[in-house]
């Protein structure tokens, strides 16, 4: 699952409005000061040069402007397009306008997971198979001539073997200075790369590109990395490698971080390292010129952070996700006594929704795309009525009970005799409000659109008191709405920057969430089989691996005893359920387990 920053709306608004102005002002001031320091004689201008670094992030295997869940061209209310095929056209334009040798191209991670295309080449026709295919993202990014990419946390979702195979197919390095071998504590991937910008009649401009990934991988993909890799903090590793790049003679040090820039962590104190640390890196590590930011799926065209040791401004930009935007960093340099100095730097984001898809990428990958379209349109059964997730964030709806049913049936079948005697419940999040399983034929894309992540399944044991804490934590998702106040669903949810994927509902117990009450006192009438839940009662909880390992910071669950675990992905279990049953009927699993109230009065 992805993770999102705190204070999203306020932060992005501030970044977009003030960032560019601050960056421009800082650049001019720096340039003037350096010229004065160099002591140039009047009328003798120093040698100058300019170059650009273009940046993408969180592409999540969006190649074409296509929505595999809807089997149609991608659309949203903002008019965005998706896919590297359109971004590639913008990159061509940048290279043509500025010169081929004045442009570098970098990505900030989360490349090989996120669409049905990604799943197909990881699981259905895997790239790891003998004589397996090339990953479409490797083909596209090689064609686009990327210079480097940081590792994202979702790079590890399909296991290290898949990641290594993808790495071998790329003609550019995957960087991860804080992805270390667990045994040797040496980098498991290349920490950095140094690129040369050729300048006729002058020394090359040396650009050091350092890649940093997210410490949360240790939690979110614990099953894939435990005992194999460790992930220390971004600040700690940047302090080690930025001086090394400067010692190598780099004139410009550029970071690509799969980490947001507000200093927050979705996992609370489960890890000693900050999840969204790009601002902290800029502030605490001297010697950095600019940072391409990723992970948090927001647009930050230009933002500056002052380094606390040097007072220098570090320039940051985040180009949203999925190919929605392209970040453009422009650098101006002057040659002083044989060494290049940065005198100006600005950043902006460009929108590819007005350009056509690159015809070469279409030619290279259209056949792969058609394979996946055929796969997702495969019918696996029928449904007796339309099941919509539109109200899943504030009502107990049948489409969510479908997830719970599959999780509970699967865990139940795998429990020991002693654990099978315990009451079994399930927790799951409403990942997509647009998900819909139609009446009639049910296809793979209908189920994939409901369960969009590649999570596996656990059964963990919680006491009644711990379960109550868990549900109270989930209930902070709602804004407090005093009794007698009208409830507006448009403003009800996502309090505390608690996004939909972080909010768990439970099945197998009945309970009320009283939104008139303050946080921590909202769970009412928690019962199991008609009896109040006792504090010392023990439950088996069916839960996905992301949450089971500490994702989103829920209490107790990460340390809870394991009753069941499997490498089977929940999405595939749901597909298998419909395939075996042939008919999906809400009457088989639609049971009201929870409801919202205001001072005891049902809201809906």
């Amino acid at each position: 699952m992805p993770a999102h920053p705190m204070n999203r709306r306020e932060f992005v608004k501030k970044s977009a409005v003030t960032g560019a102005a601050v960056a421009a002002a800082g650049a001019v001031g720096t340039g003037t000061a350096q010229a004065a320091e160099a002591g140039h004689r009047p009328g003798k201008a120093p040698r100058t040069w300019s170059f650009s670094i273009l940046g993408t992030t969180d592409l999540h295997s969006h190649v074409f402007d296509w929505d595999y869940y809807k089997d149609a061209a991608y659309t949203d209310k903002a008019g965005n397009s998706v896919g590297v095929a359109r971004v590639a056209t913008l990159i061509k334009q940048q290279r043509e306008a500025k010169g081929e040798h004045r442009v570098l191209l970098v990505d900030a991670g989360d490349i090989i997971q996120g669409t049905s295309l990604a799943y197909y080449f990881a699981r259905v026709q895997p790239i790891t198979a003998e004589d397996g295919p090339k990953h479409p993202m490797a083909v596209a990014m090689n064609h686009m001539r990327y210079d480097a990419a940081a590792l994202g946390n979702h790079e590890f979702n399909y296991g290290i073997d898949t990641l290594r195979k993808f790495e071998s197919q790329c003609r550019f390095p995957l960087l991860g200075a804080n992805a270390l071998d667990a045994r040797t504590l040496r980098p498991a991937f290349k920490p950095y790369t140094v690129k040369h910008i050729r300048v006729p009649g002058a020394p090359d401009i040396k650009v050091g590109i350092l890649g940093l990934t997210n410490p949360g991988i240790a939690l979110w993909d614990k099953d894939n990395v435990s005992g194999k890799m460790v992930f220390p903090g971004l600040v700690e590793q940047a302090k080690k490698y930025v001086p090394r790049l400067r010692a190598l003679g780099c004139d410009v040090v550029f970071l690509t971080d799969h980490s947001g820039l507000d200093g927050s962590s979705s996992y609370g104190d489960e890890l000693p390292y900050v999840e969204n640390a790009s601002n902290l890196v800029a502030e605490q590590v001297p010697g950095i010129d600019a940072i391409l930011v990723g992970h948090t799926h927001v647009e930050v065209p230009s933002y500056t952070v002052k380094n606390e040791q040097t007072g220098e401004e570090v320039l940051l930009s985040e180009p949203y996700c999925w190919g929605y935007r392209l970040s453009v960093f422009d650098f101006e340099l002057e040659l002083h006594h044989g060494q290049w100095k940065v005198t100006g730097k600005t950043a902006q984001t460009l929108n590819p929704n007005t350009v056509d898809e690159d015809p070469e990428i279409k030619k290279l990958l259209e056949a792969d795309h058609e394979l996946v379209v055929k796969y997702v349109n495969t019918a696996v059964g029928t449904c007796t009525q339309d099941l919509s997730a539109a109200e899943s964030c504030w009502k107990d709806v049948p489409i969510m009970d479908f997830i719970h049913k599959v999780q509970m049936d699967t865990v139940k079948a795998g429990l020991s005799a002693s654990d099978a005697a315990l009451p079994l419940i399930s927790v799951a999040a409403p990942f997509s409000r647009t998900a819909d399983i139609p009446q009639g034929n049910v296809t793979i894309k209908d189920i994939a659109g409901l369960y969009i992540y590649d999570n596996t399944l656990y059964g963990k044991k919680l006491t009644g008191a711990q379960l109550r804490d868990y549900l109270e934590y989930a209930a902070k998702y709602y804004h407090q709405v005093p009794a007698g106040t009208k409830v507006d669903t448009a403003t009800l949810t996502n309090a505390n920057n608690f996004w939909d994927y972080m909010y768990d509902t439970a099945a197998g117990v009945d309970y009320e969430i009283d939104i008139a009450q303050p946080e921590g006192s909202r769970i009412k009438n928690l019962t199991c089989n008609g009896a109040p839940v006792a504090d010392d009662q023990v439950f088996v909880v069916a839960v996905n691996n992301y949450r089971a390992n500490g994702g989103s910071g829920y209490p107790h669950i990460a340390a809870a005893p394991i009753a069941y675990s499997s490498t089977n992905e929940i999405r595939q279990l749901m597909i298998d359920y419909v395939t075996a049953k042939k008919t999906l009927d809400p009457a088989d699993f639609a049971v009201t387990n929870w409801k919202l109230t205001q001072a005891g009065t049902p809201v809906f």
Side-chain angles (χ1 to χ4, degrees):
M1 298 182 186
H4 299 281
M6 306 200 48
N7 303 318
R8 171 195 294 243
R9 295 179 180 86
E10 295 81 358
F11 180 76
V12 174
K13 181 178 179 183
K14 175 186 175 185
S15 303
V17 173
T18 66
V22 174
V28 171
T30 302
T32 303
Q34 288 182 338
E37 180 184 332
H40 294 303
R41 293 189 300 274
K44 187 174 181 180
R47 182 71 189 272
T48 63
W49 201 255
S50 64
F51 78 97
S52 299
I53 299 179
L54 311 182
T56 56
T57 192
D58 295 274
L59 295 171
H60 286 285
S61 284
H62 287 83
V63 173
F64 296 118
D65 195 10
W66 191 259
D67 186 336
Y68 291 102
Y69 301 143
K70 298 189 180 304
D71 194 29
Y74 180 85
T75 59
D76 66 18
K77 292 179 180 178
N80 291 308
S81 63
V82 299
V84 292
R86 285 190 189 271
V87 176
T89 302
L90 281 186
I91 291 165
K92 280 185 176 180
Q93 292 175 353
Q94 287 285 306
R95 286 174 172 150
E96 288 169 0
K98 296 173 177 177
E100 289 283 330
H101 302 295
R102 293 191 188 220
V103 175
L104 299 176
L105 177 59
V106 178
D107 185 81
D110 275 4
I111 300 168
I112 62 171
Q113 179 277 340
T115 62
S116 296
L117 181 98
Y119 182 80
Y120 187 89
F121 287 97
R123 293 288 186 258
V124 182
Q125 191 178 342
I127 62 173
T128 52
E130 188 175 350
D131 299 322
K134 281 194 172 182
H135 198 289
M137 289 302 293
V139 174
M141 295 174 79
N142 287 341
H143 171 74
M144 295 163 71
R145 289 182 282 134
Y146 272 79
D147 292 286
L151 295 165
N153 54 286
H154 285 286
E155 258 65 84
F156 294 84
N157 286 174
Y158 297 118
I160 292 173
D161 288 348
T162 297
L163 173 54
R164 289 299 192 190
K165 186 65 175 182
F166 173 71
E167 179 188 30
S168 74
Q169 295 177 345
C170 294
R171 295 200 295 265
F172 54 90
L174 300 182
L175 305 178
N178 60 328
L180 309 182
D181 181 277
R183 184 177 58 85
T184 65
L185 298 183
R186 295 174 63 85
F189 293 83
K190 194 173 182 179
Y192 60 82
T193 187
V194 178
K195 308 298 292 187
H196 288 248
I197 305 293
R198 306 293 181 187
V199 182
D204 292 351
I205 298 169
K206 294 177 69 174
V207 182
I209 303 172
L210 176 67
L212 294 164
T213 192
N214 206 287
I217 296 166
L219 283 180
W220 306 322
D221 265 304
K222 180 180 179 181
D223 296 341
N224 290 327
V225 302
S226 181
K228 300 174 183 177
M229 292 187 192
V230 294
F231 301 87
L234 283 84
V235 171
E236 290 80 359
Q237 292 302 99
K239 284 182 176 179
K240 178 178 179 179
Y241 283 102
V242 170
R244 185 174 299 184
L245 289 170
R246 289 296 182 185
L248 289 171
C250 290
D251 306 293
V252 177
V253 172
F254 184 89
L255 270 59
T256 173
D257 293 0
H258 194 75
S259 178
L261 45 70
D262 69 349
S264 67
S265 296
S266 68
Y267 40 70
D269 59 0
E270 287 289 328
L271 291 175
Y273 306 114
V274 176
E275 177 182 353
N276 297 306
S278 290
N279 62 321
L280 303 179
V281 172
E283 184 179 82
Q284 297 176 24
V285 183
I288 300 167
D289 292 293
I291 302 177
L292 174 66
V293 178
H295 183 58
T296 46
H297 293 208
V298 295
E299 182 181 11
V300 183
S302 180
Y303 193 74
T304 56
V305 173
K306 182 176 288 189
N307 184 269
E308 60 187 14
Q309 293 184 42
T310 66
E312 294 292 325
E313 299 283 359
V314 181
L315 181 62
L316 304 95
S317 179
E318 182 173 3
Y320 218 158
C321 61
W322 299 3
Y324 281 158
R325 301 291 185 271
L326 174 70
S327 281
V328 180
F329 294 84
D330 290 315
F331 296 90
E332 299 289 336
L333 297 94
E334 291 181 357
L335 189 62
H336 293 260
H337 308 299
Q339 184 173 355
W340 291 101
K341 302 288 187 183
V342 175
T343 58
K345 54 191 177 186
T346 58
Q348 61 177 316
T349 51
L350 303 180
N351 192 334
N353 67 351
T354 60
V355 301
D356 294 330
E357 293 183 330
D358 182 336
E360 289 300 313
I361 290 182
K362 291 184 74 171
K363 186 185 299 183
L364 288 167
L365 294 173
E366 204 151 35
D368 287 351
H369 168 70
E370 292 302 326
L371 271 177
V372 178
V373 169
K374 181 179 180 181
Y375 165 73
V376 299
N377 280 287
T378 302
V380 293
T382 60
C383 190
T384 60
Q385 67 185 67
D386 183 79
L387 304 180
S388 171
E391 297 182 311
S392 59
C393 294
W394 51 84
K395 284 185 182 180
D396 188 351
V397 293
I399 199 169
M400 287 300 300
D401 285 320
F402 170 39
I403 300 174
H404 290 306
K405 171 69 172 174
V406 171
Q407 291 190 165
M408 293 171 78
D409 282 1
T410 304
V411 170
K412 183 178 181 180
L415 291 176
S416 67
S418 58
D419 287 339
L422 299 173
L424 174 64
I425 66 174
S426 168
V427 292
F431 294 142
S432 173
R433 301 188 190 195
T434 61
D436 186 270
I437 296 177
Q439 184 176 12
N441 283 340
V442 178
T443 64
I444 288 173
K445 74 175 186 294
D446 299 322
I447 298 171
L450 171 62
Y451 208 100
I452 60 177
Y453 297 111
D454 301 291
N455 296 328
T456 58
L457 187 59
Y458 270 79
K460 287 211 160 186
K461 291 192 276 192
L462 294 180
T463 66
Q466 291 172 330
L467 175 61
R468 182 179 293 275
D469 288 346
Y470 191 102
L471 295 176
E472 285 286 5
Y473 186 85
K476 72 177 187 175
Y477 170 75
Y478 297 106
H479 290 276
Q480 187 174 8
V481 185
T485 305
K486 183 179 179 181
V487 176
D488 182 358
T489 57
T491 58
L492 175 63
T493 63
N494 305 118
N496 301 294
N497 298 292
F498 212 59
W499 311 113
D500 293 356
Y501 80 92
M502 301 170 75
Y503 170 59
D504 275 354
T505 64
V509 287
D510 296 299
Y511 62 101
E512 299 171 9
I513 303 174
D514 192 340
I515 57 175
Q517 303 304 318
E519 292 173 22
S521 304
R522 291 178 172 175
I523 301 302
K524 309 295 182 184
N525 301 320
L526 177 61
T527 63
C528 180
N529 296 322
V533 170
D535 284 353
D536 61 353
Q537 191 172 0
V538 178
F539 294 85
V540 174
V541 182
V543 58
N544 69 50
N545 68 297
Y546 175 84
R547 198 75 85 234
N549 291 329
S552 302
Y554 273 78
H556 311 303
I557 195 73
I562 298 172
Y564 170 89
S565 66
S566 170
T567 58
N568 294 323
E569 283 147 352
I570 295 168
R571 181 199 301 113
Q572 188 61 48
L573 293 171
M574 294 165 65
I575 293 169
D576 293 345
Y577 175 92
V578 178
T579 302
K581 296 278 287 186
K582 295 186 174 57
T583 302
L584 190 61
D585 187 348
D588 293 337
F589 50 77
V591 179
T592 299
N593 298 297
W594 65 276
K595 60 187 174 183
L596 293 186
T597 63
Q598 275 179 301
T601 302
V603 175
F604 302 109

